[in-house]
Amino acid sequence: MEFKHRSLSDKIWLVLKGLAMGAANKVPGVSGGVVAYVAGFYEEFIYSLQRINKNAFKLLLGGRFRSFVRYTNGRFLVLLVFGMVISYFSVSKVLDLAIENFPLQVWSAFFGMIIGSIYFIAKDFDDWSKRNILILSLGVITGVAISLLEPATQNDNLIFVFFCGIIGVSGMTLPGLSGSFILILLGNYVLLLVDSVNALYDTLTDLVQADFSFINDPHRVRLLKVLTMFTLGSVVGLVTLSNFLGYLLKHFKNETNAGIIGFIAGSLGVVWPWKTPILERDVLGVIQYDRVGDPILKNYDRFIPDELSLNNITAILFIFLGIISVIALSKYGENTRV
């Protein structure tokens, strides 16, 4: 695959797409891979990750940094990851507040965005063979089944955390499969995306102040080890899944697209707007809380609204807003393919 030269405006837009992808990865039920697919850089993203291999490490260890950057499409990956990092400390924080204060409207917008994504991917798909319809159906069934699973309990075993990294990063590479939601099902969302990240932030703050007392804090050290293993697992997952998906896109493109459409359609159940949270309770019915004081989410009780209240009308408007935003993004992606 040929990697194109980018203008300054292209680079700025790529950082903004990284922002969107990072925000999507943070939200349970939403996949950053969908953003990459709709925005028109999914295949380049997968093929760039495939280049992180033994040949790349030979170039890096040999001091051939320019060749390494060129071989791995490094500028593209750096700009994209830069946008994701910025997103995690900015846009995703705003999303957290929005979900907390306006859950119905936010989930409605996400629901609409996924519908728009399905339309975008399916509109040009014309290979509706029996085989591809079967693959699409399996994708839908898998997506729905995942949405109905109950979360496991938290587990900070380092081998399990490494496995969480491999699975959790799937939302970046596989459209329709939310890495954050998978981490909730595995019981480690708070541990890996809240506690460990907070521990890293506190540690960096201490280091800037030349304070090394955290070394004697076993809880902090444990969380840093957990974050390190999760990061290693994520890197391994990115490289492994990208090679697998790159192979599928090269040899079974239509079948892969059918599976992606199915996965995305199946994920609609996760982001269904009208739902009430089911919280973890003990045998006496008392709500259980995690380490940061938030109630532990067990699952959702989904329902169909039975009245046209102002709140429900607003939610429907946000669904259409989500659909329109994705269609607009997809048309821009078709024109630029950045």
Side-chain angles (χ1 to χ4, degrees), residues 152-172:
T153 56
Q154 183 171 290
N155 185 347
D156 66 353
N157 178 277
L158 295 181
I159 295 177
F160 183 71
V161 167
F162 182 81
F163 171 76
C164 287
I166 294 175
I167 299 299
V169 81
S170 59
M172 288 177 62

Side-chain angles (χ1 to χ4, degrees), residues 182-193:
I182 293 296
L183 290 180
I184 288 179
L185 294 178
L186 294 174
N188 275 2
Y189 178 82
V190 172
L191 174 67
L192 299 175
L193 295 186

Side-chain angles (χ1 to χ4, degrees), residues 79-254:
L79 290 170
L80 199 61
V81 171
F82 180 62
M84 292 182 195
V85 172
I86 294 176
S87 172
Y88 194 86
F89 293 102
S90 58
V91 178
S92 62
K93 297 294 183 184
V94 175
L95 272 177
D96 288 343
L97 290 173
I99 290 175
E100 182 178 344
N101 294 288
F102 308 100
L104 180 60
Q105 288 75 17
V106 173
W107 288 118
S108 295
F110 285 138
F111 188 79
M113 290 172 71
I114 291 179
I115 292 176
S117 301
I118 295 170
Y119 165 77
F120 167 75
I121 299 172
K123 68 182 177 68
D124 295 325
F125 187 78
D126 55 7
D127 185 10
W128 294 108
S129 64
K130 290 183 179 179
R131 179 181 181 182
N132 287 339
I133 292 175
L134 176 61
I135 293 172
L136 184 146
S137 301
L138 291 174
V140 172
I141 293 170
T142 302
V144 172
I146 289 174
S147 70
L148 297 176
L149 292 175
E150 290 192 4
T153 56
Q154 183 171 290
N155 185 347
D156 66 353
N157 178 277
L158 295 181
I159 295 177
F160 183 71
V161 167
F162 182 81
F163 171 76
C164 287
I166 294 175
I167 299 299
V169 81
S170 59
M172 288 177 62
T173 53
L174 187 58
L177 190 60
S178 168
S180 296
F181 187 70
I182 293 296
L183 290 180
I184 288 179
L185 294 178
L186 294 174
N188 275 2
Y189 178 82
V190 172
L191 174 67
L192 299 175
L193 295 186
V194 179
D195 292 351
S196 297
V197 174
N198 288 340
L200 175 63
Y201 178 81
D202 292 340
T203 301
L204 292 175
T205 302
D206 290 342
L207 290 174
V208 169
Q209 299 173 353
D211 180 2
F212 300 96
S213 60
F214 68 87
I215 296 175
N216 298 317
D217 182 350
H219 180 62
R220 175 88 68 85
V221 172
R222 180 64 178 176
L223 287 175
L224 292 175
K225 289 180 179 179
V226 164
L227 184 60
T228 300
M229 289 301 291
F230 178 66
T231 303
L232 288 173
S234 298
V235 172
V236 170
L238 270 178
V239 175
T240 304
L241 284 173
S242 63
N243 277 279
F244 176 64
L245 288 170
Y247 174 83
L248 291 179
L249 285 169
K250 183 177 180 180
H251 296 91
F252 307 99
K253 187 168 185 176
N254 287 334

